[in-house]
Amino acid sequence: MEQTFIMIKPDGVQRGLVGEIIGRFEKKGFSLKGLKLVSVDRPFAEKHYADLSAKPFFSGLVDYIISGPVVAMVWEGKGVVTTGRKIIGATNPAESAPGTIRGDFAIDIGRNVIHGSDSVESSRKEIALWFPEGIVSWQSSVHPWIYE
Ligand code: GTP
Ligand code: MG
């Protein structure tokens, strides 16, 4: 089944939003397959956001991601990459709909609380980068109550 990499950024951890965010993915019906609290260094953050290295906000973005611990997660489910991005909301919280994580909990684009992979291909790369040790293999017992 499809998997995505979700990271609660340092502002989300500092603001005590970890439980709220995990709850939204759990209640939707997605399955948690990997979870850890980590502090990453500059080279690691630069690798994670390598695609954005030419952007003017890149060094500020890296400063932000290394400013405190983050919660790295792998979530699994049908369409989880696209649906996960919908749960998260638009990149700029000024445009994120109410009811989305960024729409409910963020104001500035540079403090937008959470990251989610933007494609299945990125999710594979990001899961390999953040979870080189692998993730947990388990099947939720409520699966038949979520999937037809
Ligand atoms: P992620 O899930 O974090 O990857 O966000 P995204 O996929 O919605 O957006 P994108 O990958 O384009 O940008 C990555 C992150 O860079 C965003 O989440 C923002 O935190 C930051 N960012 C993007 N655009 C801007 C910008 O114009 N200014 C600033 N300050 N930060 C930006
Ligand atoms: Mg992105």
Side-chain angles (χ1 to χ4, degrees):
M1 181 117 30
E2 190 171 299
Q3 296 179 331
T4 193
F5 173 69
I6 300 290
M7 169 185 46
I8 304 174
K9 296 177 179 179
D11 49 336
V13 175
Q14 292 284 353
R15 293 174 57 202
L17 297 172
V18 172
E20 170 74 33
I21 289 170
I22 289 176
R24 290 187 179 207
F25 280 83
E26 276 187 322
K27 281 178 252 179
K28 176 70 176 172
F30 292 132
S31 290
L32 185 60
K33 298 282 164 137
L35 173 71
K36 60 185 177 185
L37 179 76
V38 278
S39 290
V40 299
D41 60 15
R42 183 169 293 277
F44 187 94
E46 287 175 349
K47 204 167 176 188
H48 171 76
Y49 279 125
D51 293 353
L52 300 175
S53 60
K55 300 282 185 190
F57 56 82
F58 182 69
S59 71
L61 173 60
V62 171
D63 288 342
Y64 165 42
I65 296 306
I66 67 173
S67 64
V70 300
V71 174
M73 297 179 279
V74 176
W75 286 91
E76 185 177 284
K78 187 175 171 183
V80 70
V81 170
T82 301
T83 304
R85 299 267 297 182
K86 286 184 188 157
I87 290 170
I88 288 170
T91 305
N92 186 348
E95 283 146 27
S96 317
T100 65
I101 292 167
R102 288 170 175 163
D104 289 350
F105 303 120
I107 294 174
D108 266 354
I109 193 166
R111 295 290 183 273
N112 63 358
V113 175
I114 181 167
H115 160 84
S117 306
D118 60 14
S119 65
V120 171
E121 196 196 339
S122 314
S123 76
R124 288 206 189 99
K125 276 191 217 155
E126 292 172 358
I127 292 167
L129 176 67
W130 286 82
F131 288 90
E133 70 277 22
I135 52 170
V136 177
S137 178
W138 70 288
Q139 190 70 254
S140 161
S141 59
V142 298
H143 200 270
W145 297 105
I146 293 169
Y147 296 98
E148 191 178 7

Short mmCIF file of all heavy atoms in Angstrom, two decimals, residues 6-73:
data_model
loop_
_atom_site.label_atom_id
_atom_site.label_comp_id
_atom_site.label_asym_id
_atom_site.label_seq_id
_atom_site.Cartn_x
_atom_site.Cartn_y
_atom_site.Cartn_z
N ILE A 6 5.85 12.10 6.54
CA ILE A 6 5.28 13.29 7.18
C ILE A 6 6.24 13.72 8.30
O ILE A 6 6.71 12.88 9.08
CB ILE A 6 3.89 12.98 7.80
CG1 ILE A 6 2.89 12.50 6.74
CG2 ILE A 6 3.35 14.18 8.59
CD1 ILE A 6 2.42 13.54 5.74
N MET A 7 6.53 15.01 8.35
CA MET A 7 7.40 15.52 9.41
C MET A 7 6.71 16.69 10.12
O MET A 7 6.29 17.65 9.46
CB MET A 7 8.73 16.02 8.82
CG MET A 7 9.55 16.78 9.82
SD MET A 7 11.06 17.52 9.20
CE MET A 7 10.61 18.30 7.71
N ILE A 8 6.60 16.60 11.44
CA ILE A 8 6.13 17.75 12.23
C ILE A 8 7.37 18.61 12.46
O ILE A 8 8.37 18.15 13.03
CB ILE A 8 5.48 17.32 13.55
CG1 ILE A 8 4.33 16.33 13.27
CG2 ILE A 8 4.97 18.55 14.31
CD1 ILE A 8 3.69 15.73 14.53
N LYS A 9 7.34 19.83 11.94
CA LYS A 9 8.50 20.72 11.97
C LYS A 9 8.73 21.25 13.40
O LYS A 9 7.86 21.09 14.27
CB LYS A 9 8.28 21.84 10.96
CG LYS A 9 8.21 21.33 9.50
CD LYS A 9 7.92 22.47 8.51
CE LYS A 9 7.89 21.94 7.07
NZ LYS A 9 7.58 23.03 6.10
N PRO A 10 9.90 21.89 13.65
CA PRO A 10 10.21 22.31 15.03
C PRO A 10 9.14 23.19 15.68
O PRO A 10 8.91 23.07 16.90
CB PRO A 10 11.53 23.09 14.85
CG PRO A 10 12.17 22.44 13.67
CD PRO A 10 11.04 22.13 12.72
N ASP A 11 8.46 24.03 14.91
CA ASP A 11 7.41 24.87 15.51
C ASP A 11 6.22 24.02 15.97
O ASP A 11 5.63 24.30 17.02
CB ASP A 11 6.95 25.97 14.52
CG ASP A 11 6.62 25.45 13.13
OD1 ASP A 11 7.15 24.38 12.75
OD2 ASP A 11 5.86 26.10 12.41
N GLY A 12 5.91 22.97 15.23
CA GLY A 12 4.81 22.08 15.63
C GLY A 12 5.13 21.34 16.91
O GLY A 12 4.26 21.17 17.78
N VAL A 13 6.40 20.94 17.06
CA VAL A 13 6.82 20.25 18.29
C VAL A 13 6.80 21.25 19.46
O VAL A 13 6.22 20.98 20.52
CB VAL A 13 8.22 19.63 18.12
CG1 VAL A 13 8.72 19.03 19.43
CG2 VAL A 13 8.20 18.56 17.01
N GLN A 14 7.42 22.42 19.25
CA GLN A 14 7.49 23.44 20.33
C GLN A 14 6.10 23.87 20.78
O GLN A 14 5.89 24.14 21.97
CB GLN A 14 8.26 24.68 19.85
CG GLN A 14 9.74 24.45 19.61
CD GLN A 14 10.56 24.37 20.88
OE1 GLN A 14 10.05 24.62 21.97
NE2 GLN A 14 11.82 23.99 20.75
N ARG A 15 5.16 23.93 19.85
CA ARG A 15 3.82 24.42 20.18
C ARG A 15 2.88 23.34 20.70
O ARG A 15 1.70 23.59 20.96
CB ARG A 15 3.22 25.12 18.95
CG ARG A 15 3.98 26.42 18.59
CD ARG A 15 3.47 27.03 17.29
NE ARG A 15 2.05 27.27 17.36
CZ ARG A 15 1.26 27.40 16.28
NH1 ARG A 15 1.77 27.29 15.07
NH2 ARG A 15 -0.02 27.62 16.43
N GLY A 16 3.41 22.13 20.85
CA GLY A 16 2.60 21.05 21.45
C GLY A 16 1.52 20.54 20.53
O GLY A 16 0.44 20.12 20.99
N LEU A 17 1.80 20.52 19.22
CA LEU A 17 0.80 20.08 18.25
C LEU A 17 0.98 18.62 17.80
O LEU A 17 0.25 18.14 16.93
CB LEU A 17 0.85 21.00 17.01
CG LEU A 17 0.48 22.46 17.28
CD1 LEU A 17 0.74 23.32 16.04
CD2 LEU A 17 -0.99 22.57 17.69
N VAL A 18 1.94 17.93 18.41
CA VAL A 18 2.24 16.55 17.96
C VAL A 18 1.02 15.64 18.08
O VAL A 18 0.65 14.95 17.12
CB VAL A 18 3.45 15.98 18.75
CG1 VAL A 18 3.65 14.50 18.43
CG2 VAL A 18 4.73 16.75 18.42
N GLY A 19 0.40 15.64 19.25
CA GLY A 19 -0.75 14.75 19.46
C GLY A 19 -1.90 15.09 18.53
O GLY A 19 -2.53 14.20 17.94
N GLU A 20 -2.17 16.38 18.37
CA GLU A 20 -3.25 16.84 17.49
C GLU A 20 -3.02 16.37 16.05
O GLU A 20 -3.94 15.89 15.38
CB GLU A 20 -3.29 18.38 17.56
CG GLU A 20 -4.17 19.06 16.54
CD GLU A 20 -5.67 18.94 16.83
OE1 GLU A 20 -6.03 18.92 18.01
OE2 GLU A 20 -6.44 18.87 15.85
N ILE A 21 -1.79 16.51 15.58
CA ILE A 21 -1.48 16.16 14.18
C ILE A 21 -1.55 14.64 13.98
O ILE A 21 -2.16 14.16 13.02
CB ILE A 21 -0.10 16.74 13.79
CG1 ILE A 21 -0.21 18.26 13.67
CG2 ILE A 21 0.40 16.11 12.48
CD1 ILE A 21 1.10 19.00 13.53
N ILE A 22 -0.95 13.90 14.89
CA ILE A 22 -1.02 12.43 14.77
C ILE A 22 -2.48 12.00 14.81
O ILE A 22 -2.91 11.14 14.03
CB ILE A 22 -0.19 11.76 15.89
CG1 ILE A 22 1.30 11.96 15.62
CG2 ILE A 22 -0.51 10.26 15.99
CD1 ILE A 22 2.23 11.42 16.69
N GLY A 23 -3.28 12.62 15.68
CA GLY A 23 -4.70 12.28 15.80
C GLY A 23 -5.46 12.47 14.49
O GLY A 23 -6.33 11.67 14.16
N ARG A 24 -5.12 13.51 13.75
CA ARG A 24 -5.84 13.75 12.48
C ARG A 24 -5.56 12.64 11.46
O ARG A 24 -6.46 12.21 10.76
CB ARG A 24 -5.46 15.12 11.91
CG ARG A 24 -6.04 16.25 12.75
CD ARG A 24 -5.84 17.61 12.12
NE ARG A 24 -6.44 18.62 12.98
CZ ARG A 24 -6.91 19.78 12.54
NH1 ARG A 24 -6.84 20.09 11.27
NH2 ARG A 24 -7.44 20.63 13.39
N PHE A 25 -4.31 12.20 11.39
CA PHE A 25 -3.98 11.11 10.45
C PHE A 25 -4.58 9.79 10.93
O PHE A 25 -5.08 9.00 10.13
CB PHE A 25 -2.46 11.01 10.26
CG PHE A 25 -1.90 12.04 9.32
CD1 PHE A 25 -1.61 13.32 9.75
CD2 PHE A 25 -1.71 11.74 7.98
CE1 PHE A 25 -1.13 14.29 8.87
CE2 PHE A 25 -1.23 12.70 7.09
CZ PHE A 25 -0.93 13.97 7.54
N GLU A 26 -4.53 9.55 12.24
CA GLU A 26 -5.11 8.31 12.78
C GLU A 26 -6.61 8.26 12.55
O GLU A 26 -7.14 7.24 12.10
CB GLU A 26 -4.86 8.24 14.30
CG GLU A 26 -3.52 7.68 14.70
CD GLU A 26 -3.44 7.48 16.21
OE1 GLU A 26 -3.98 8.31 16.98
OE2 GLU A 26 -2.84 6.48 16.62
N LYS A 27 -7.29 9.37 12.86
CA LYS A 27 -8.75 9.37 12.76
C LYS A 27 -9.23 9.25 11.32
O LYS A 27 -10.30 8.71 11.06
CB LYS A 27 -9.33 10.62 13.43
CG LYS A 27 -9.37 10.48 14.95
CD LYS A 27 -9.89 11.72 15.63
CE LYS A 27 -8.75 12.42 16.33
NZ LYS A 27 -9.12 13.64 17.02
N LYS A 28 -8.42 9.72 10.38
CA LYS A 28 -8.76 9.54 8.97
C LYS A 28 -8.81 8.06 8.60
O LYS A 28 -9.57 7.63 7.76
CB LYS A 28 -7.73 10.28 8.11
CG LYS A 28 -7.89 10.10 6.62
CD LYS A 28 -9.12 10.81 6.10
CE LYS A 28 -9.20 10.68 4.57
NZ LYS A 28 -10.49 11.20 4.07
N GLY A 29 -7.95 7.28 9.26
CA GLY A 29 -7.88 5.85 8.98
C GLY A 29 -6.53 5.38 8.48
O GLY A 29 -6.34 4.20 8.19
N PHE A 30 -5.58 6.32 8.35
CA PHE A 30 -4.25 5.93 7.90
C PHE A 30 -3.51 5.19 9.02
O PHE A 30 -3.82 5.34 10.19
CB PHE A 30 -3.45 7.16 7.44
CG PHE A 30 -4.00 7.77 6.18
CD1 PHE A 30 -4.22 9.15 6.08
CD2 PHE A 30 -4.34 6.98 5.08
CE1 PHE A 30 -4.74 9.72 4.92
CE2 PHE A 30 -4.87 7.54 3.92
CZ PHE A 30 -5.06 8.90 3.84
N SER A 31 -2.52 4.38 8.61
CA SER A 31 -1.76 3.58 9.58
C SER A 31 -0.36 4.13 9.78
O SER A 31 0.35 4.40 8.81
CB SER A 31 -1.60 2.14 9.08
OG SER A 31 -2.83 1.49 9.11
N LEU A 32 0.03 4.23 11.04
CA LEU A 32 1.37 4.71 11.40
C LEU A 32 2.36 3.57 11.26
O LEU A 32 2.21 2.52 11.90
CB LEU A 32 1.34 5.22 12.85
CG LEU A 32 2.60 5.87 13.39
CD1 LEU A 32 3.01 7.10 12.57
CD2 LEU A 32 2.41 6.25 14.85
N LYS A 33 3.37 3.76 10.43
CA LYS A 33 4.36 2.69 10.17
C LYS A 33 5.76 3.04 10.64
O LYS A 33 6.64 2.18 10.69
CB LYS A 33 4.39 2.37 8.67
CG LYS A 33 3.07 1.86 8.13
CD LYS A 33 2.85 0.40 8.49
CE LYS A 33 1.42 -0.03 8.32
NZ LYS A 33 1.24 -1.33 7.69
N GLY A 34 6.00 4.31 10.97
CA GLY A 34 7.31 4.72 11.47
C GLY A 34 7.13 6.01 12.24
O GLY A 34 6.29 6.83 11.87
N LEU A 35 7.90 6.17 13.33
CA LEU A 35 7.75 7.37 14.18
C LEU A 35 9.00 7.58 15.01
O LEU A 35 9.44 6.66 15.70
CB LEU A 35 6.55 7.17 15.12
CG LEU A 35 6.32 8.21 16.20
CD1 LEU A 35 5.82 9.52 15.61
CD2 LEU A 35 5.31 7.70 17.23
N LYS A 36 9.57 8.78 14.93
CA LYS A 36 10.68 9.10 15.85
C LYS A 36 10.84 10.62 16.00
O LYS A 36 10.51 11.37 15.08
CB LYS A 36 11.99 8.47 15.37
CG LYS A 36 12.47 8.91 14.01
CD LYS A 36 13.72 8.10 13.60
CE LYS A 36 14.15 8.50 12.20
NZ LYS A 36 15.27 7.67 11.72
N LEU A 37 11.33 11.01 17.19
CA LEU A 37 11.67 12.41 17.46
C LEU A 37 13.16 12.55 17.21
O LEU A 37 13.95 11.83 17.84
CB LEU A 37 11.34 12.74 18.92
CG LEU A 37 11.65 14.16 19.38
CD1 LEU A 37 10.62 15.14 18.85
CD2 LEU A 37 11.68 14.23 20.91
N VAL A 38 13.54 13.45 16.30
CA VAL A 38 14.97 13.60 15.97
C VAL A 38 15.33 15.07 15.75
O VAL A 38 14.50 15.86 15.33
CB VAL A 38 15.37 12.84 14.67
CG1 VAL A 38 15.62 11.39 14.92
CG2 VAL A 38 14.37 13.03 13.55
N SER A 39 16.60 15.38 16.03
CA SER A 39 17.16 16.68 15.65
C SER A 39 18.08 16.41 14.48
O SER A 39 18.93 15.51 14.58
CB SER A 39 17.96 17.27 16.80
OG SER A 39 17.10 17.65 17.83
N VAL A 40 17.91 17.14 13.40
CA VAL A 40 18.78 16.90 12.24
C VAL A 40 19.78 18.04 12.08
O VAL A 40 19.54 19.16 12.53
CB VAL A 40 17.96 16.68 10.95
CG1 VAL A 40 17.07 15.45 11.08
CG2 VAL A 40 17.16 17.90 10.55
N ASP A 41 20.92 17.72 11.46
CA ASP A 41 21.94 18.76 11.26
C ASP A 41 21.78 19.41 9.88
O ASP A 41 20.94 18.99 9.07
CB ASP A 41 23.35 18.19 11.47
CG ASP A 41 23.69 17.06 10.52
OD1 ASP A 41 22.98 16.88 9.50
OD2 ASP A 41 24.68 16.35 10.78
N ARG A 42 22.57 20.44 9.65
CA ARG A 42 22.43 21.22 8.41
C ARG A 42 22.58 20.37 7.14
O ARG A 42 21.72 20.44 6.26
CB ARG A 42 23.42 22.39 8.45
CG ARG A 42 23.35 23.34 7.26
CD ARG A 42 24.16 24.60 7.52
NE ARG A 42 23.57 25.40 8.58
CZ ARG A 42 22.56 26.26 8.41
NH1 ARG A 42 22.04 26.45 7.22
NH2 ARG A 42 22.08 26.92 9.44
N PRO A 43 23.65 19.54 7.03
CA PRO A 43 23.77 18.75 5.79
C PRO A 43 22.57 17.84 5.55
O PRO A 43 22.14 17.66 4.41
CB PRO A 43 25.05 17.92 6.02
CG PRO A 43 25.83 18.68 7.04
CD PRO A 43 24.83 19.37 7.91
N PHE A 44 22.00 17.29 6.62
CA PHE A 44 20.84 16.41 6.47
C PHE A 44 19.62 17.21 5.98
O PHE A 44 18.91 16.81 5.05
CB PHE A 44 20.53 15.70 7.79
CG PHE A 44 19.46 14.65 7.66
CD1 PHE A 44 19.79 13.32 7.44
CD2 PHE A 44 18.11 14.99 7.73
CE1 PHE A 44 18.80 12.34 7.30
CE2 PHE A 44 17.12 14.04 7.58
CZ PHE A 44 17.46 12.71 7.37
N ALA A 45 19.39 18.37 6.59
CA ALA A 45 18.25 19.21 6.19
C ALA A 45 18.42 19.69 4.75
O ALA A 45 17.46 19.75 3.98
CB ALA A 45 18.12 20.40 7.15
N GLU A 46 19.66 20.01 4.38
CA GLU A 46 19.93 20.44 2.99
C GLU A 46 19.64 19.32 2.01
O GLU A 46 19.15 19.55 0.91
CB GLU A 46 21.38 20.92 2.86
CG GLU A 46 21.59 22.28 3.52
CD GLU A 46 23.03 22.75 3.53
OE1 GLU A 46 23.95 21.95 3.20
OE2 GLU A 46 23.25 23.94 3.87
N LYS A 47 19.91 18.09 2.42
CA LYS A 47 19.63 16.94 1.57
C LYS A 47 18.11 16.75 1.42
O LYS A 47 17.60 16.50 0.32
CB LYS A 47 20.28 15.69 2.18
CG LYS A 47 20.57 14.61 1.20
CD LYS A 47 21.49 13.58 1.82
CE LYS A 47 21.70 12.43 0.85
NZ LYS A 47 22.42 11.31 1.44
N HIS A 48 17.41 16.86 2.54
CA HIS A 48 15.95 16.68 2.50
C HIS A 48 15.30 17.70 1.55
O HIS A 48 14.40 17.36 0.81
CB HIS A 48 15.36 16.82 3.91
CG HIS A 48 13.87 16.86 3.92
ND1 HIS A 48 13.09 15.75 3.73
CD2 HIS A 48 13.01 17.92 4.05
CE1 HIS A 48 11.81 16.10 3.75
NE2 HIS A 48 11.73 17.41 3.95
N TYR A 49 15.76 18.95 1.62
CA TYR A 49 15.17 20.01 0.78
C TYR A 49 16.05 20.34 -0.43
O TYR A 49 15.96 21.47 -0.95
CB TYR A 49 14.92 21.26 1.63
CG TYR A 49 13.63 21.20 2.45
CD1 TYR A 49 13.64 21.40 3.82
CD2 TYR A 49 12.39 21.00 1.83
CE1 TYR A 49 12.45 21.36 4.57
CE2 TYR A 49 11.21 20.96 2.57
CZ TYR A 49 11.24 21.15 3.93
OH TYR A 49 10.07 21.12 4.65
N ALA A 50 16.85 19.39 -0.91
CA ALA A 50 17.80 19.63 -2.01
C ALA A 50 17.13 20.25 -3.24
O ALA A 50 17.73 21.12 -3.90
CB ALA A 50 18.50 18.33 -2.39
N ASP A 51 15.90 19.86 -3.53
CA ASP A 51 15.19 20.38 -4.71
C ASP A 51 14.98 21.89 -4.63
O ASP A 51 14.71 22.54 -5.64
CB ASP A 51 13.81 19.73 -4.85
CG ASP A 51 13.90 18.24 -5.19
OD1 ASP A 51 15.02 17.77 -5.45
OD2 ASP A 51 12.84 17.58 -5.19
N LEU A 52 15.05 22.45 -3.41
CA LEU A 52 14.77 23.88 -3.23
C LEU A 52 16.05 24.69 -3.04
O LEU A 52 16.00 25.87 -2.70
CB LEU A 52 13.84 24.08 -2.02
CG LEU A 52 12.48 23.38 -2.10
CD1 LEU A 52 11.71 23.54 -0.79
CD2 LEU A 52 11.65 23.94 -3.26
N SER A 53 17.22 24.07 -3.30
CA SER A 53 18.50 24.72 -2.97
C SER A 53 18.74 26.04 -3.70
O SER A 53 19.50 26.88 -3.22
CB SER A 53 19.67 23.77 -3.19
OG SER A 53 19.71 23.39 -4.53
N ALA A 54 18.07 26.24 -4.84
CA ALA A 54 18.27 27.50 -5.59
C ALA A 54 17.32 28.61 -5.12
O ALA A 54 17.46 29.76 -5.55
CB ALA A 54 18.06 27.23 -7.08
N LYS A 55 16.39 28.28 -4.24
CA LYS A 55 15.39 29.29 -3.82
C LYS A 55 16.01 30.29 -2.84
O LYS A 55 16.87 29.93 -2.03
CB LYS A 55 14.21 28.60 -3.12
CG LYS A 55 13.48 27.59 -3.99
CD LYS A 55 12.56 28.27 -4.97
CE LYS A 55 11.77 27.22 -5.75
NZ LYS A 55 11.02 27.79 -6.86
N PRO A 56 15.55 31.54 -2.89
CA PRO A 56 16.12 32.56 -1.99
C PRO A 56 15.86 32.27 -0.51
O PRO A 56 16.64 32.69 0.35
CB PRO A 56 15.40 33.86 -2.42
CG PRO A 56 14.21 33.42 -3.21
CD PRO A 56 14.54 32.08 -3.80
N PHE A 57 14.79 31.51 -0.22
CA PHE A 57 14.46 31.22 1.19
C PHE A 57 15.14 29.96 1.71
O PHE A 57 14.92 29.55 2.84
CB PHE A 57 12.94 31.11 1.36
CG PHE A 57 12.28 30.07 0.47
CD1 PHE A 57 12.29 28.72 0.81
CD2 PHE A 57 11.68 30.44 -0.73
CE1 PHE A 57 11.69 27.76 0.00
CE2 PHE A 57 11.08 29.49 -1.55
CZ PHE A 57 11.09 28.15 -1.19
N PHE A 58 16.02 29.33 0.87
CA PHE A 58 16.58 28.02 1.22
C PHE A 58 17.34 28.03 2.56
O PHE A 58 17.11 27.16 3.41
CB PHE A 58 17.49 27.51 0.09
CG PHE A 58 18.08 26.15 0.34
CD1 PHE A 58 17.27 25.01 0.35
CD2 PHE A 58 19.44 25.99 0.57
CE1 PHE A 58 17.80 23.74 0.57
CE2 PHE A 58 19.98 24.72 0.79
CZ PHE A 58 19.16 23.60 0.80
N SER A 59 18.24 29.01 2.77
CA SER A 59 19.05 28.95 4.00
C SER A 59 18.15 29.19 5.23
O SER A 59 18.35 28.57 6.28
CB SER A 59 20.24 29.89 3.96
OG SER A 59 19.80 31.21 4.04
N GLY A 60 17.15 30.06 5.08
CA GLY A 60 16.20 30.29 6.18
C GLY A 60 15.38 29.04 6.47
O GLY A 60 15.10 28.72 7.62
N LEU A 61 15.03 28.32 5.41
CA LEU A 61 14.26 27.08 5.56
C LEU A 61 15.10 26.03 6.32
O LEU A 61 14.60 25.37 7.23
CB LEU A 61 13.88 26.56 4.16
CG LEU A 61 13.22 25.19 4.07
CD1 LEU A 61 11.91 25.14 4.85
CD2 LEU A 61 12.96 24.82 2.59
N VAL A 62 16.37 25.93 5.95
CA VAL A 62 17.25 24.97 6.63
C VAL A 62 17.45 25.39 8.09
O VAL A 62 17.36 24.54 9.00
CB VAL A 62 18.59 24.82 5.86
CG1 VAL A 62 19.59 24.00 6.66
CG2 VAL A 62 18.33 24.17 4.49
N ASP A 63 17.66 26.68 8.35
CA ASP A 63 17.78 27.18 9.74
C ASP A 63 16.55 26.76 10.56
O ASP A 63 16.66 26.35 11.71
CB ASP A 63 17.85 28.71 9.78
CG ASP A 63 19.17 29.26 9.28
OD1 ASP A 63 20.16 28.50 9.23
OD2 ASP A 63 19.21 30.46 8.93
N TYR A 64 15.39 26.91 9.94
CA TYR A 64 14.10 26.57 10.59
C TYR A 64 14.04 25.08 10.93
O TYR A 64 13.74 24.71 12.07
CB TYR A 64 13.00 27.01 9.62
CG TYR A 64 11.59 26.50 9.83
CD1 TYR A 64 11.00 26.42 11.10
CD2 TYR A 64 10.81 26.16 8.72
CE1 TYR A 64 9.69 26.01 11.23
CE2 TYR A 64 9.50 25.75 8.86
CZ TYR A 64 8.94 25.65 10.11
OH TYR A 64 7.64 25.24 10.25
N ILE A 65 14.38 24.24 9.98
CA ILE A 65 14.25 22.79 10.20
C ILE A 65 15.25 22.27 11.24
O ILE A 65 14.97 21.30 11.94
CB ILE A 65 14.37 22.03 8.84
CG1 ILE A 65 13.22 22.42 7.90
CG2 ILE A 65 14.43 20.51 9.03
CD1 ILE A 65 11.81 22.24 8.48
N ILE A 66 16.41 22.93 11.35
CA ILE A 66 17.40 22.46 12.33
C ILE A 66 17.27 23.19 13.68
O ILE A 66 18.07 22.96 14.57
CB ILE A 66 18.85 22.58 11.79
CG1 ILE A 66 19.28 24.04 11.61
CG2 ILE A 66 19.00 21.79 10.49
CD1 ILE A 66 20.76 24.18 11.24
N SER A 67 16.24 24.02 13.83
CA SER A 67 16.13 24.85 15.03
C SER A 67 15.63 24.09 16.26
O SER A 67 15.61 24.65 17.36
CB SER A 67 15.22 26.05 14.76
OG SER A 67 13.90 25.61 14.49
N GLY A 68 15.21 22.85 16.09
CA GLY A 68 14.72 22.06 17.22
C GLY A 68 14.33 20.69 16.73
O GLY A 68 14.40 20.41 15.53
N PRO A 69 13.93 19.82 17.65
CA PRO A 69 13.56 18.47 17.22
C PRO A 69 12.32 18.46 16.32
O PRO A 69 11.45 19.33 16.43
CB PRO A 69 13.29 17.72 18.53
CG PRO A 69 13.13 18.76 19.57
CD PRO A 69 13.85 19.99 19.11
N VAL A 70 12.28 17.47 15.46
CA VAL A 70 11.13 17.26 14.57
C VAL A 70 10.61 15.84 14.80
O VAL A 70 11.33 14.98 15.30
CB VAL A 70 11.52 17.43 13.08
CG1 VAL A 70 12.06 18.84 12.81
CG2 VAL A 70 12.53 16.38 12.62
N VAL A 71 9.35 15.63 14.44
CA VAL A 71 8.78 14.27 14.52
C VAL A 71 8.68 13.73 13.09
O VAL A 71 7.96 14.29 12.26
CB VAL A 71 7.41 14.26 15.22
CG1 VAL A 71 6.79 12.87 15.15
CG2 VAL A 71 7.55 14.68 16.68
N ALA A 72 9.46 12.68 12.84
CA ALA A 72 9.49 12.05 11.51
C ALA A 72 8.57 10.84 11.53
O ALA A 72 8.63 10.02 12.45
CB ALA A 72 10.92 11.62 11.19
N MET A 73 7.71 10.75 10.51
CA MET A 73 6.73 9.66 10.49
C MET A 73 6.55 9.08 9.10
O MET A 73 6.72 9.78 8.10
CB MET A 73 5.35 10.19 10.94
CG MET A 73 5.33 10.70 12.35
SD MET A 73 3.68 11.33 12.80
CE MET A 73 3.72 12.94 12.07
#
